[in-house]
Amino acid sequence: MATTLLVLNGPNLNMLGTREPAVYGKDTLADVEAQCRAAAQAHGLELEFAQTNHEGQMIDWIHQARGRVAGIVINPAAWTHTSVALHDALAAAEVPTIEVHISNVHKREAFRHHSYVSLVAIGVIAGLGTHGYTLAIEHFAKLLK
Ligand code: DQA
């Protein structure tokens, strides 16, 4: 059976490429998906990629990942800093999770310094641009070898 990774993206990330390019760069979400698929393919991993602006949808996807995928790479976007529900969904799913942020949230406003997701993540990558997604996939590839 193929090993599957799930890459999840939270609110406003559908606007990548045009959204505050000085902060988030010029890559679109389609570019990020292509990078993720290339990284997964290089390691013989299946990849699912999704984005939503609806918190309940994100929580449903996380529940459905339980027992089904080997790892989650998530950019929870603004829900990082607000959502106990997202924390609880990831805790319930019991799937190893890597949290990714395109920007260095620790260099930004104080409200971005706290993450509910970090408490349930095996690791966090922030500030390396969209390359952070590739690095997270490569880390899972190494863990799954
Ligand atoms: C983000 C950082 C968050 O603070 C912000 O709300 C986002 C994107 C990032 O990728 O840098 O939407 O997760």
Side-chain angles (χ1 to χ4, degrees), residues 14 18 20 26 29 36 55 59 72 77 87 113 119 122 130-132 140-141:
N14 55 309
T18 52
E20 299 182 79
K26 287 188 188 153
L29 194 64
C36 288
E55 192 172 354
I59 289 166
I72 295 174
H87 164 282
H113 296 176
L119 292 164
I122 60 171
T130 59
H131 188 51
F140 273 127

Side-chain angles (χ1 to χ4, degrees), residues 11 13 19 24 75-78 80-81 100-103 105 108 112:
L13 291 169
R19 174 192 181 200
Y24 298 113
N75 184 344
T80 309
H81 320 297
V100 171
H101 299 286
I102 296 165
S103 65
V105 285
R108 299 181 64 195
R112 296 185 203 276

